[in-house]
Amino acid sequence: MNDQSFPSPDALPLGKFQDPLLTAKGEARASVALTDPRTLWFNTGTLCNIECANCYIESSPRNDRLVYLTPDDISLYLDEIARDNWPFREIAFTGGEPFLNPDIIELLRRPLAAGFEVLVLTNAMRPMMRKRRVQMGLLELQATYGSQLTLRVSVDHYTAKCHDAERGKGSFEVTLQGMRWLRDNGFKMAVAGRTMWGETEAESRAGFAQLFHAENFKIDAQGPGETVLFPEMDARVDVPEITTACWGILNKRPEEVMCASSRMVVKRKGADAPSVLACTLLPYSPEFELGTTLAEANRPVHLNHPHCAKFCVLGGASCSA
């Protein structure tokens, strides 16, 4: 598979994003320290039941570059959090499609039992709807832990036409069927959409509000933590590099950027152990791999990727609630 998450230097506009410390103009590149650890992400594996047109990390039925995490992998980091008094409050799971992981119920159970808020990103399609392996386990978790568990469903647009253009014909209705099951069983839901159709944020949120009302989904379309709208990402599109001076120019603080509050754990195919990365969006870029433990990953991240500029600093987006 071609890795478009980090193009070769020749493909980057104007020779940008090559030196971790300096921009193409020779200015000091901005960096972000882990100042408020709130969310620890786990990528359960890059395999997915569908292949989206613009998946951030190229998940598909064939991409196994990140392999399935096991419950013991999760426990390694839960134990480190407890031992070293890390202030993480939320454990989040992404993929791929997390419900393809055969251990997903136990993966969710362990942080829930340890008292964490748990967020799982899903397309709410057939992997989540397997009755014996998944649904019964989810119902058990719901009965035991209630609102500690949130399922954030990927609904790229509030219309079938646009959503299906991204995820395949008929996918919108299949996702709605999954969301109706979650609704009818009292699960706490959120939605992740995209701002790639030329709409204003207000227009997007109004459209989602109409959908939620029609379906009786208890999701706040105006709340940025319940209806998360992500910008479209293409690392080959020209975006400005973020310098240390940009914080003052943009009236932003490093503490507002996602890598100030989160890290992500992955397991690469063929690796002996999981790795801790700076960001959920950059699983294939060696520069953003910080070690195998949270202690090793407690160091500044240099914003040396187009996604850092467009998604986090300029876009103000975050994968966490």
Side-chain angles (χ1 to χ4, degrees):
M1 174 176 291
N2 293 328
D3 177 13
Q4 296 181 359
S5 296
F6 198 94
S8 67
D10 291 340
L12 288 167
L14 306 177
K16 295 178 177 179
F17 302 104
Q18 296 184 37
D19 187 318
L21 301 179
L22 298 174
T23 69
K25 294 182 179 179
E27 299 171 292
R29 187 179 304 284
S31 64
V32 174
L34 183 62
T35 53
D36 181 23
R38 294 195 307 268
T39 303
L40 181 60
W41 287 86
F42 291 94
N43 188 300
T44 63
T46 38
L47 286 172
C48 188
N49 56 301
I50 59 175
E51 186 170 4
C52 298
N54 294 289
C55 179
Y56 295 148
I57 64 169
E58 302 172 340
S59 297
S60 77
R62 301 171 302 281
N63 182 3
D64 61 352
R65 296 173 67 182
L66 302 182
V67 298
Y68 289 147
L69 288 172
T70 69
D72 287 345
D73 292 329
I74 304 300
S75 290
L76 284 174
Y77 293 95
L78 298 182
D79 290 345
E80 185 180 2
I81 290 172
R83 183 186 69 237
D84 296 339
N85 295 314
W86 282 90
F88 288 106
R89 301 185 290 277
E90 178 183 57
I91 302 296
F93 295 88
T94 184
E97 170 50 50
F99 287 106
L100 281 175
N101 187 308
D103 293 318
I104 185 59
I105 297 302
E106 185 62 20
L107 296 181
L108 301 180
R109 187 192 317 277
R110 293 197 182 187
L112 286 167
F116 291 95
E117 298 291 318
V118 171
L119 173 68
V120 55
L121 277 55
T122 177
N123 56 39
M125 297 176 77
R126 289 185 178 90
M128 191 196 77
M129 296 297 286
R130 292 176 295 175
K131 289 186 178 180
R132 299 188 69 178
R133 176 176 290 182
V134 175
Q135 285 189 340
M136 291 178 63
L138 279 175
L139 290 171
E140 179 189 347
L141 295 180
Q142 165 68 3
T144 304
Y145 301 105
S147 62
Q148 269 182 254
L149 174 65
T150 300
L151 290 95
R152 181 191 291 167
V153 182
S154 297
V155 184
D156 289 322
H157 196 260
Y158 50 85
T159 67
K161 178 181 178 181
C162 292
H163 178 93
D164 286 1
E166 175 73 14
R167 294 180 178 257
K169 185 176 181 181
S171 60
F172 184 75
E173 179 57 30
V174 176
T175 289
L176 286 186
Q177 291 173 12
M179 295 180 72
R180 291 166 189 149
W181 181 84
L182 292 170
R183 174 200 65 197
D184 293 344
N185 287 282
F187 285 89
K188 186 177 177 181
M189 281 194 291
V191 154
R194 298 206 194 192
T195 57
M196 57 183 287
W197 288 277
E199 298 175 326
T200 65
E201 180 176 337
E203 290 170 335
S204 294
R205 293 193 181 279
F208 276 110
Q210 291 179 350
L211 173 65
F212 300 159
H213 177 74
E215 294 286 346
N216 195 27
F217 294 151
K218 298 186 185 306
I219 304 171
D220 182 3
Q222 304 303 321
E226 293 190 39
T227 301
V228 188
L229 298 179
F230 293 134
E232 184 54 16
M233 307 301 295
D234 186 341
R236 296 161 294 184
V237 173
D238 190 15
V239 294
E241 296 184 280
I242 306 300
T243 70
T244 54
C246 287
W247 302 124
I249 296 170
L250 298 171
N251 193 28
K252 292 183 73 77
R253 297 178 299 116
E255 293 79 11
E256 299 174 43
V257 180
M258 187 166 60
C259 49
S261 60
S262 66
R263 291 290 185 264
M264 184 171 79
V265 176
V266 305
K267 184 185 284 185
R268 303 193 187 283
K269 188 175 183 178
D272 294 330
S275 300
V276 184
L277 310 184
C279 177
T280 59
L281 300 176
L282 302 170
Y284 308 126
S285 301
E287 181 180 348
F288 293 91
E289 185 164 329
L290 303 177
T292 60
T293 67
L294 296 175
E296 292 173 344
N298 188 13
R299 50 193 172 97
V301 176
H302 296 280
L303 304 183
N304 190 31
H305 193 284
H307 289 357
C308 303
K310 185 172 184 180
F311 187 91
C312 293
V313 178
L314 299 176
S318 174
C319 293
S320 303

